[in-house]
Amino acid sequence: MENHQLSFPVSSSSSVSLPDLKVAHSSNIHVKKADDLSKTQRKKISSQKGGKEIKQHRYVFQTRSLIDILDDGYRWRKYGEKAMKNNKFRRSYYRCSYRGCNVKKQIQRHSIDEQIVVTTYEGMHIHPVEKTAESFEQILRNLKIYSQLYNVSPTLE
DNA sequence: CGGCTTTGACCCGCGC
DNA sequence: GCGCGGGTCAAAGCCG
């Protein structure tokens, strides 16, 4: 994952309305579509037979932040954590807590540049964002910290 | 009291 | 076939 291309996530998916995206416009965040799938997905796909184009909604955010958990307005339940071979940091696995919604995400820090938090989303939410006032405030807080650190103006009002 | 973390075990694919 | 690396399960405990 060394070539960060600055492409926009997932042509077909309208699922994300993350505030992170707006920050991504301003600078410093690379968003790239992940082309390699997880093993479980591969398994599912191959058993699912025959090369239909299966849209895997999977995309990666790389965020410069000192905060590991960026609150995106959804509720996540952690289900695992692993130490990576080539990374002193650990990767943590989250699942969306909404029943029936199988969205997952992984969060890990970049091995070399530890300021970068890599967030991998996988799947599509089948429900609206439950944005409480609280979580939204958290987002704003993150944006503030972000813009203070890197001298950009947040695109959120 | 309910939802979430924690944490080791388990599982599975892949390379040797 | 075995071991390694990475993904998930689930029991127990924590915390609001």
Side-chain angles (χ1 to χ4, degrees):
Chain A
M1 326 202 164
E2 285 74 27
N3 37 355
H4 325 121
Q5 49 214 69
L6 227 156
S7 61
F8 238 59
V10 199
S11 37
S12 57
S13 155
S14 56
S15 62
V16 260
S17 55
L18 303 175
D20 306 68
L21 278 178
K22 302 191 174 169
V23 187
H25 278 298
S26 44
S27 63
N28 267 340
I29 299 186
H30 305 276
V31 183
K32 85 165 187 179
K33 211 200 283 191
D35 42 3
D36 72 320
L37 306 170
S38 72
K39 288 172 186 171
T40 34
Q41 273 181 326
R42 272 227 207 89
K43 193 184 174 185
K44 270 179 199 155
I45 288 172
S46 57
S47 71
Q48 198 167 355
K49 197 270 134 159
K52 266 317 162 80
E53 84 286 14
I54 297 122
K55 303 249 174 86
Q56 293 302 327
H57 307 273
R58 182 165 182 191
Y59 33 94
V60 178
F61 289 80
Q62 293 191 193
T63 321
R64 262 182 204 285
S65 167
L66 303 181
I67 308 150
D68 290 52
I69 294 102
L70 303 165
D71 197 333
D72 48 19
Y74 291 99
R75 295 178 51 226
W76 301 97
R77 157 176 109 261
K78 189 174 189 169
Y79 68 91
E81 191 175 73
K82 266 299 197 184
M84 298 292 103
K85 188 62 190 305
N86 291 321
N87 195 333
K88 51 180 168 177
F89 302 102
R90 309 208 290 184
R91 174 186 294 168
S92 23
Y93 303 87
Y94 295 86
R95 218 195 290 275
C96 181
S97 2
Y98 192 92
R99 196 193 99 81
C101 181
N102 281 347
V103 180
K104 292 181 252 182
K105 75 171 175 181
Q106 316 177 346
I107 296 183
Q108 77 185 124
R109 288 204 164 265
H110 199 280
S111 46
I112 303 145
D113 188 351
E114 63 178 75
Q115 291 185 338
I116 296 183
V117 176
V118 184
T119 308
T120 306
Y121 289 87
E122 189 173 324
M124 245 173 35
H125 291 284
I126 59 166
H127 60 99
V129 187
E130 340 171 3
K131 43 146 95 170
T132 59
E134 220 175 312
S135 72
F136 198 69
E137 211 173 295
Q138 183 107 7
I139 293 168
L140 283 179
R141 198 173 309 129
N142 291 347
L143 283 179
K144 271 183 198 159
I145 293 170
Y146 175 85
S147 58
Q148 278 174 9
L149 285 177
Y150 300 103
N151 251 338
V152 298
S153 50
T155 43
L156 269 184
E157 289 272 317

